[in-house]
Amino acid sequence: MADDKSNATAYWKANLRLITGCMIVWAFVSYGCAILFRPLLSGIPVGGTDLGFWFAQQGSILTFIVLIFFYAWKMNRLDQQFGLGE
């Protein structure tokens, strides 16, 4: 019983660490690159516009989609590690 509880606690901690990491990346790209760092990125051309505008319009969406697939992949590995795989 105690082993199951410690296993569940370790699984939950690993899950929260993964969620926190994904949220940090999402916040950095969405707020940092698109809003806060836009003046610094404005001199770098990408696809006919500057990099700051690109992050605001396209980059944050593409990053969010990549984060979804990354999270699913990591959670599948985490489930297998803790014996919860399908």
Side-chain angles (χ1 to χ4, degrees):
M1 181 86 160
D3 190 38
D4 289 341
K5 188 166 179 86
S6 65
N7 196 26
T9 302
Y11 176 78
W12 185 243
K13 282 184 181 181
N15 187 11
L16 286 178
R17 196 175 10 211
L18 178 60
I19 291 171
T20 303
C22 288
M23 293 296 287
I24 288 170
V25 170
W26 170 79
F28 175 75
V29 171
S30 295
Y31 295 112
C33 293
I35 297 170
L36 300 176
F37 299 136
R38 181 151 191 247
L40 298 172
L41 300 173
S42 65
I44 303 170
V46 171
T49 187
D50 64 270
L51 187 59
F53 180 77
W54 185 85
F55 267 115
Q57 296 300 313
Q58 306 294 331
S60 58
I61 295 169
L62 294 176
T63 302
F64 186 67
I65 291 170
V66 168
L67 280 174
I68 291 170
F69 285 105
F70 174 76
Y71 178 78
W73 173 70
K74 286 293 281 187
M75 280 306 296
N76 284 335
R77 291 187 66 202
L78 193 65
D79 288 346
Q80 290 174 357
Q81 179 183 347
F82 285 92
L84 302 171
E86 294 179 25

